[in-house]
Amino acid sequence: MFAVRTWPKGRCFFFGTLMFPMEMKMPNTDHVKGEAKKMEGRVKDAAGAATDNPKLQAKGKKDKLEGEARKAKGDLKDAMKPKK
């Protein structure tokens, strides 16, 4: 269960088990999905190496690259946003 709470001075907040300072921007969905895809790729790569399965290893490497590309897309979106 996730909870969102604000500290009395409003300097940071909790979202589940993560704590973000108020000055820090929340990551966009491309950053989050890209990191999730990279983690999925790492797991597949490690499982393929452990079971000596080159197809699974290749899928893991592809997923890692796909995650990095999606994360780069999120960085580009952030760069294109107007500064406040």
mmCIF file of all heavy atoms in Angstrom, residues 2 6 11-13 15 22 25-26 30 34-35 38-39 41 43-44 49-52 55 57 62 72 75-76 81-82:
data_model
loop_
_atom_site.group_PDB
_atom_site.id
_atom_site.type_symbol
_atom_site.label_atom_id
_atom_site.label_comp_id
_atom_site.label_asym_id
_atom_site.label_seq_id
_atom_site.Cartn_x
_atom_site.Cartn_y
_atom_site.Cartn_z
ATOM 1 N N PHE A 2 0.587 2.170 -0.860
ATOM 2 C CA PHE A 2 1.379 3.389 -0.974
ATOM 3 C C PHE A 2 0.699 4.531 -0.231
ATOM 4 O O PHE A 2 -0.509 4.650 -0.217
ATOM 5 C CB PHE A 2 1.543 3.788 -2.440
ATOM 6 C CG PHE A 2 2.407 2.837 -3.200
ATOM 7 C CD1 PHE A 2 1.843 1.889 -4.024
ATOM 8 C CD2 PHE A 2 3.772 2.880 -3.070
ATOM 9 C CE1 PHE A 2 2.630 1.005 -4.724
ATOM 10 C CE2 PHE A 2 4.573 2.007 -3.772
ATOM 11 C CZ PHE A 2 3.999 1.068 -4.586
ATOM 12 N N THR A 6 3.250 14.618 3.470
ATOM 13 C CA THR A 6 4.085 15.805 3.381
ATOM 14 C C THR A 6 4.643 16.103 4.760
ATOM 15 O O THR A 6 3.931 16.023 5.748
ATOM 16 C CB THR A 6 3.265 17.020 2.900
ATOM 17 O OG1 THR A 6 2.657 16.673 1.670
ATOM 18 C CG2 THR A 6 4.152 18.215 2.701
ATOM 19 N N ARG A 11 9.175 20.106 2.810
ATOM 20 C CA ARG A 11 10.442 19.970 2.089
ATOM 21 C C ARG A 11 10.558 18.671 1.310
ATOM 22 O O ARG A 11 11.275 18.595 0.339
ATOM 23 C CB ARG A 11 11.600 20.086 3.056
ATOM 24 C CG ARG A 11 11.638 21.459 3.660
ATOM 25 C CD ARG A 11 12.912 21.701 4.324
ATOM 26 N NE ARG A 11 12.842 23.060 4.837
ATOM 27 C CZ ARG A 11 13.856 23.829 4.945
ATOM 28 N NH1 ARG A 11 15.026 23.396 4.634
ATOM 29 N NH2 ARG A 11 13.716 25.048 5.403
ATOM 30 N N CYS A 12 9.893 17.629 1.743
ATOM 31 C CA CYS A 12 9.957 16.378 1.015
ATOM 32 C C CYS A 12 8.691 15.573 1.278
ATOM 33 O O CYS A 12 7.918 15.907 2.166
ATOM 34 C CB CYS A 12 11.193 15.568 1.387
ATOM 35 S SG CYS A 12 11.322 15.192 3.130
ATOM 36 N N PHE A 13 8.487 14.540 0.491
ATOM 37 C CA PHE A 13 7.304 13.716 0.693
ATOM 38 C C PHE A 13 7.665 12.264 0.451
ATOM 39 O O PHE A 13 8.675 11.941 -0.157
ATOM 40 C CB PHE A 13 6.152 14.161 -0.216
ATOM 41 C CG PHE A 13 6.407 13.971 -1.681
ATOM 42 C CD1 PHE A 13 6.011 12.821 -2.315
ATOM 43 C CD2 PHE A 13 7.035 14.951 -2.419
ATOM 44 C CE1 PHE A 13 6.242 12.644 -3.656
ATOM 45 C CE2 PHE A 13 7.268 14.783 -3.772
ATOM 46 C CZ PHE A 13 6.877 13.623 -4.386
ATOM 47 N N PHE A 15 6.483 8.546 -1.061
ATOM 48 C CA PHE A 15 5.586 7.828 -1.952
ATOM 49 C C PHE A 15 5.960 6.362 -1.793
ATOM 50 O O PHE A 15 6.964 5.916 -2.335
ATOM 51 C CB PHE A 15 5.754 8.277 -3.400
ATOM 52 C CG PHE A 15 4.801 7.595 -4.334
ATOM 53 C CD1 PHE A 15 3.472 7.952 -4.343
ATOM 54 C CD2 PHE A 15 5.223 6.584 -5.164
ATOM 55 C CE1 PHE A 15 2.587 7.322 -5.192
ATOM 56 C CE2 PHE A 15 4.354 5.951 -6.010
ATOM 57 C CZ PHE A 15 3.031 6.318 -6.015
ATOM 58 N N MET A 22 11.226 18.022 -2.412
ATOM 59 C CA MET A 22 10.269 18.788 -3.203
ATOM 60 C C MET A 22 10.941 19.476 -4.391
ATOM 61 O O MET A 22 10.306 19.721 -5.393
ATOM 62 C CB MET A 22 9.546 19.823 -2.345
ATOM 63 C CG MET A 22 8.607 19.185 -1.346
ATOM 64 S SD MET A 22 7.421 18.120 -2.118
ATOM 65 C CE MET A 22 6.030 19.199 -2.162
ATOM 66 N N LYS A 25 12.486 16.858 -9.397
ATOM 67 C CA LYS A 25 11.374 16.594 -10.293
ATOM 68 C C LYS A 25 11.047 15.101 -10.258
ATOM 69 O O LYS A 25 11.935 14.266 -10.144
ATOM 70 C CB LYS A 25 11.734 16.981 -11.721
ATOM 71 C CG LYS A 25 11.950 18.448 -11.925
ATOM 72 C CD LYS A 25 12.145 18.791 -13.375
ATOM 73 C CE LYS A 25 13.244 17.975 -13.990
ATOM 74 N NZ LYS A 25 13.571 18.308 -15.355
ATOM 75 N N MET A 26 9.778 14.801 -10.384
ATOM 76 C CA MET A 26 9.362 13.409 -10.483
ATOM 77 C C MET A 26 9.767 12.906 -11.865
ATOM 78 O O MET A 26 9.650 13.628 -12.856
ATOM 79 C CB MET A 26 7.851 13.287 -10.316
ATOM 80 C CG MET A 26 7.364 13.582 -8.921
ATOM 81 S SD MET A 26 7.851 12.330 -7.742
ATOM 82 C CE MET A 26 6.857 10.974 -8.277
ATOM 83 N N ASP A 30 8.495 7.643 -19.190
ATOM 84 C CA ASP A 30 9.521 7.004 -20.019
ATOM 85 C C ASP A 30 10.740 6.614 -19.186
ATOM 86 O O ASP A 30 11.343 5.574 -19.433
ATOM 87 C CB ASP A 30 9.940 7.922 -21.166
ATOM 88 C CG ASP A 30 8.865 8.026 -22.230
ATOM 89 O OD1 ASP A 30 8.279 6.977 -22.564
ATOM 90 O OD2 ASP A 30 8.607 9.129 -22.713
ATOM 91 N N GLY A 34 11.546 2.757 -18.840
ATOM 92 C CA GLY A 34 12.867 2.400 -19.350
ATOM 93 C C GLY A 34 13.696 1.677 -18.310
ATOM 94 O O GLY A 34 14.358 0.676 -18.610
ATOM 95 N N GLU A 35 13.645 2.146 -17.079
ATOM 96 C CA GLU A 35 14.394 1.485 -16.009
ATOM 97 C C GLU A 35 13.823 0.097 -15.731
ATOM 98 O O GLU A 35 14.580 -0.852 -15.487
ATOM 99 C CB GLU A 35 14.361 2.345 -14.739
ATOM 100 C CG GLU A 35 15.367 1.940 -13.698
ATOM 101 C CD GLU A 35 16.806 2.035 -14.161
ATOM 102 O OE1 GLU A 35 17.161 3.013 -14.841
ATOM 103 O OE2 GLU A 35 17.584 1.105 -13.847
ATOM 104 N N LYS A 38 15.048 -2.191 -18.446
ATOM 105 C CA LYS A 38 16.458 -2.530 -18.233
ATOM 106 C C LYS A 38 16.602 -3.606 -17.170
ATOM 107 O O LYS A 38 17.390 -4.539 -17.325
ATOM 108 C CB LYS A 38 17.247 -1.281 -17.814
ATOM 109 C CG LYS A 38 17.686 -0.425 -18.974
ATOM 110 C CD LYS A 38 18.358 0.848 -18.554
ATOM 111 C CE LYS A 38 19.536 0.661 -17.662
ATOM 112 N NZ LYS A 38 20.208 1.930 -17.329
ATOM 113 N N MET A 39 15.820 -3.489 -16.091
ATOM 114 C CA MET A 39 15.886 -4.501 -15.022
ATOM 115 C C MET A 39 15.409 -5.855 -15.548
ATOM 116 O O MET A 39 15.998 -6.891 -15.230
ATOM 117 C CB MET A 39 15.048 -4.073 -13.829
ATOM 118 C CG MET A 39 15.507 -2.790 -13.237
ATOM 119 S SD MET A 39 16.033 -2.676 -11.615
ATOM 120 C CE MET A 39 15.255 -3.521 -10.471
ATOM 121 N N GLY A 41 15.617 -6.884 -18.571
ATOM 122 C CA GLY A 41 16.692 -7.379 -19.422
ATOM 123 C C GLY A 41 17.842 -7.961 -18.621
ATOM 124 O O GLY A 41 18.418 -8.990 -19.000
ATOM 125 N N VAL A 43 17.635 -9.383 -15.708
ATOM 126 C CA VAL A 43 17.196 -10.673 -15.168
ATOM 127 C C VAL A 43 17.251 -11.747 -16.256
ATOM 128 O O VAL A 43 17.753 -12.853 -16.024
ATOM 129 C CB VAL A 43 15.773 -10.553 -14.576
ATOM 130 C CG1 VAL A 43 15.198 -11.910 -14.252
ATOM 131 C CG2 VAL A 43 15.786 -9.671 -13.342
ATOM 132 N N LYS A 44 16.745 -11.420 -17.442
ATOM 133 C CA LYS A 44 16.772 -12.388 -18.542
ATOM 134 C C LYS A 44 18.202 -12.741 -18.933
ATOM 135 O O LYS A 44 18.517 -13.903 -19.197
ATOM 136 C CB LYS A 44 16.037 -11.834 -19.761
ATOM 137 C CG LYS A 44 14.540 -11.882 -19.653
ATOM 138 C CD LYS A 44 13.908 -11.367 -20.942
ATOM 139 C CE LYS A 44 12.406 -11.350 -20.869
ATOM 140 N NZ LYS A 44 11.809 -10.808 -22.108
ATOM 141 N N ALA A 49 22.452 -16.732 -18.893
ATOM 142 C CA ALA A 49 23.835 -17.123 -18.610
ATOM 143 C C ALA A 49 23.878 -18.298 -17.637
ATOM 144 O O ALA A 49 24.705 -19.207 -17.782
ATOM 145 C CB ALA A 49 24.603 -15.938 -18.041
ATOM 146 N N ALA A 50 22.989 -18.290 -16.643
ATOM 147 C CA ALA A 50 22.978 -19.353 -15.642
ATOM 148 C C ALA A 50 22.511 -20.683 -16.230
ATOM 149 O O ALA A 50 22.994 -21.745 -15.839
ATOM 150 C CB ALA A 50 22.078 -18.962 -14.474
ATOM 151 N N THR A 51 21.567 -20.628 -17.176
ATOM 152 C CA THR A 51 21.034 -21.856 -17.760
ATOM 153 C C THR A 51 21.688 -22.204 -19.090
ATOM 154 O O THR A 51 21.282 -23.160 -19.741
ATOM 155 C CB THR A 51 19.510 -21.734 -17.972
ATOM 156 O OG1 THR A 51 19.252 -20.634 -18.843
ATOM 157 C CG2 THR A 51 18.798 -21.541 -16.656
ATOM 158 N N ASP A 52 22.683 -21.434 -19.491
ATOM 159 C CA ASP A 52 23.385 -21.620 -20.758
ATOM 160 C C ASP A 52 22.394 -21.595 -21.919
ATOM 161 O O ASP A 52 22.382 -22.469 -22.769
ATOM 162 C CB ASP A 52 24.193 -22.929 -20.736
ATOM 163 C CG ASP A 52 25.248 -22.952 -21.834
ATOM 164 O OD1 ASP A 52 25.722 -21.858 -22.220
ATOM 165 O OD2 ASP A 52 25.588 -24.045 -22.299
ATOM 166 N N LYS A 55 19.552 -17.825 -26.458
ATOM 167 C CA LYS A 55 18.380 -17.075 -26.917
ATOM 168 C C LYS A 55 17.861 -16.155 -25.817
ATOM 169 O O LYS A 55 17.516 -15.001 -26.065
ATOM 170 C CB LYS A 55 17.258 -18.028 -27.335
ATOM 171 C CG LYS A 55 17.365 -18.553 -28.723
ATOM 172 C CD LYS A 55 16.109 -19.318 -29.090
ATOM 173 C CE LYS A 55 16.117 -19.663 -30.553
ATOM 174 N NZ LYS A 55 14.889 -20.373 -30.936
ATOM 175 N N GLN A 57 19.590 -15.027 -23.280
ATOM 176 C CA GLN A 57 20.604 -13.990 -23.077
ATOM 177 C C GLN A 57 20.453 -12.884 -24.117
ATOM 178 O O GLN A 57 20.544 -11.701 -23.791
ATOM 179 C CB GLN A 57 22.006 -14.588 -23.180
ATOM 180 C CG GLN A 57 22.674 -14.774 -21.852
ATOM 181 C CD GLN A 57 24.103 -15.234 -22.029
ATOM 182 O OE1 GLN A 57 24.382 -16.153 -22.797
ATOM 183 N NE2 GLN A 57 24.994 -14.605 -21.310
ATOM 184 N N LYS A 62 18.683 -7.365 -25.606
ATOM 185 C CA LYS A 62 17.773 -6.530 -26.397
ATOM 186 C C LYS A 62 16.892 -5.681 -25.472
ATOM 187 O O LYS A 62 16.705 -4.483 -25.699
ATOM 188 C CB LYS A 62 16.889 -7.400 -27.284
ATOM 189 C CG LYS A 62 15.901 -6.622 -28.136
ATOM 190 C CD LYS A 62 14.957 -7.529 -28.890
ATOM 191 C CE LYS A 62 13.779 -7.933 -28.104
ATOM 192 N NZ LYS A 62 12.668 -7.114 -27.898
ATOM 193 N N ALA A 72 16.456 7.362 -22.618
ATOM 194 C CA ALA A 72 16.991 8.486 -23.384
ATOM 195 C C ALA A 72 15.851 9.322 -23.970
ATOM 196 O O ALA A 72 15.938 10.552 -24.035
ATOM 197 C CB ALA A 72 17.906 7.979 -24.489
ATOM 198 N N ASP A 75 14.740 11.555 -21.283
ATOM 199 C CA ASP A 75 15.677 12.669 -21.122
ATOM 200 C C ASP A 75 15.441 13.742 -22.176
ATOM 201 O O ASP A 75 15.477 14.932 -21.880
ATOM 202 C CB ASP A 75 17.121 12.171 -21.213
ATOM 203 C CG ASP A 75 17.530 11.331 -20.024
ATOM 204 O OD1 ASP A 75 16.886 11.435 -18.959
ATOM 205 O OD2 ASP A 75 18.507 10.567 -20.159
ATOM 206 N N LEU A 76 15.166 13.298 -23.402
ATOM 207 C CA LEU A 76 14.907 14.233 -24.492
ATOM 208 C C LEU A 76 13.616 15.009 -24.221
ATOM 209 O O LEU A 76 13.554 16.228 -24.433
ATOM 210 C CB LEU A 76 14.813 13.497 -25.815
ATOM 211 C CG LEU A 76 14.609 14.351 -27.058
ATOM 212 C CD1 LEU A 76 15.786 15.308 -27.239
ATOM 213 C CD2 LEU A 76 14.450 13.470 -28.273
ATOM 214 N N LYS A 81 11.072 20.371 -22.515
ATOM 215 C CA LYS A 81 10.092 21.099 -21.705
ATOM 216 C C LYS A 81 10.592 22.519 -21.448
ATOM 217 O O LYS A 81 11.790 22.730 -21.238
ATOM 218 C CB LYS A 81 9.888 20.403 -20.356
ATOM 219 C CG LYS A 81 9.043 19.174 -20.441
ATOM 220 C CD LYS A 81 8.836 18.596 -19.052
ATOM 221 C CE LYS A 81 8.059 17.307 -19.125
ATOM 222 N NZ LYS A 81 7.949 16.676 -17.825
ATOM 223 N N PRO A 82 9.675 23.474 -21.433
ATOM 224 C CA PRO A 82 10.104 24.843 -21.118
ATOM 225 C C PRO A 82 10.536 24.958 -19.662
ATOM 226 O O PRO A 82 9.949 24.325 -18.778
ATOM 227 C CB PRO A 82 8.864 25.687 -21.401
ATOM 228 C CG PRO A 82 7.727 24.735 -21.412
ATOM 229 C CD PRO A 82 8.265 23.389 -21.739
#
